[in-house]
Structures are given as structure tokens and as C-alpha cells.
Amino acid sequence: MRYETNVLTGETIELPDLPVPPVTKLTATDLPLNRFQFEALVIAMGLSMDDLEKAIATLPVSDFDKAVAVSRLRNATTYNRDHPLVEQVRKKLGLSVKDIDAAWMQAAALS
């Protein structure tokens, strides 16, 4: 319990302790990347944006969906780790979840 004094009346009042919310650890899915951060991630992983486009070209989806994916890649202002396209390209490139998540967290720390 905490005690405070009412400045108007001089009366001491008892205040209950407020619960402290649990601290949650941020994960890669909590942190969207901007274009600069995303491209830094790609380069740091030894890849290029062309490599990502080539991976998209091999996805088992329609040509229209591939075109949309490439446009999304080229023109997005934010990139989300939990976007299905990120996972599809990760698998095509043979990247581990652990590696991409670690790189994502590093890129998210860039300003």
C-alpha cells in the first residue's frame, strides 16, 4: 500500500498497489521493417533483391500472383515478418527460421 496526502484537505489517503504488467519479449513478428531496414537485412544475409524476385518466380502460384508478389516486394513501405510471402521466399531460399528471425531483429534495431 502507498499513502499520499491530499493537498487540499491534508488528509492522508491509502492507495492500493497497482499490478505490474508482465514484460513481454519482442519477437521478429512484432517488428515491421521499413524499406531501408529490409534491404539491409537482405544484403546482410548475402542476398540481393534480385535473388528474392527469382525465388518468387519459382513459387507454385499463378503468374498474376507472382506479379503481385514482385510488386509488393519492390514497392512496400513496410515489411512484416509474419507475411506469408516472407515465409514462402524463406523456404525457397533455404533459410532457417532462426537465421531470418535473428537478422530481422538486427535490422529492426537500425534507424
Side-chain angles (χ1 to χ4, degrees):
M1 289 288 171
R2 297 180 303 136
Y3 298 91
E4 291 190 10
T5 303
N6 184 317
V7 293
L8 297 175
T9 66
E11 176 186 5
T12 300
I13 56 174
E14 188 176 319
L15 299 172
D17 290 329
L18 299 175
V20 177
V23 176
T24 56
K25 184 177 178 183
L26 293 176
T27 65
T29 58
D30 298 319
L31 302 168
L33 301 182
N34 62 34
R35 185 158 184 85
F36 160 73
Q37 293 167 320
F38 184 77
E39 287 193 28
L41 172 144
V42 170
I43 294 166
M45 296 192 81
L47 300 167
S48 69
M49 297 301 272
D50 284 343
D51 293 328
L52 302 185
E53 288 188 28
K54 289 174 186 173
I56 290 169
T58 67
L59 294 176
V61 296
S62 71
D63 288 343
F64 179 79
D65 287 341
K66 289 175 188 178
V68 170
V70 168
S71 181
R72 194 177 300 254
L73 174 68
R74 290 178 183 170
N75 300 303
T77 56
T78 58
Y79 299 82
N80 295 297
R81 173 63 183 92
D82 58 354
H83 191 284
L85 182 59
V86 173
E87 187 63 10
Q88 291 172 323
V89 171
R90 178 196 68 77
K91 288 178 180 177
K92 282 290 180 185
L93 294 172
L95 303 171
S96 73
V97 170
K98 182 180 175 181
D99 288 344
I100 196 167
D101 283 350
W104 199 278
M105 294 299 287
Q106 285 183 309
L110 299 172
S111 56

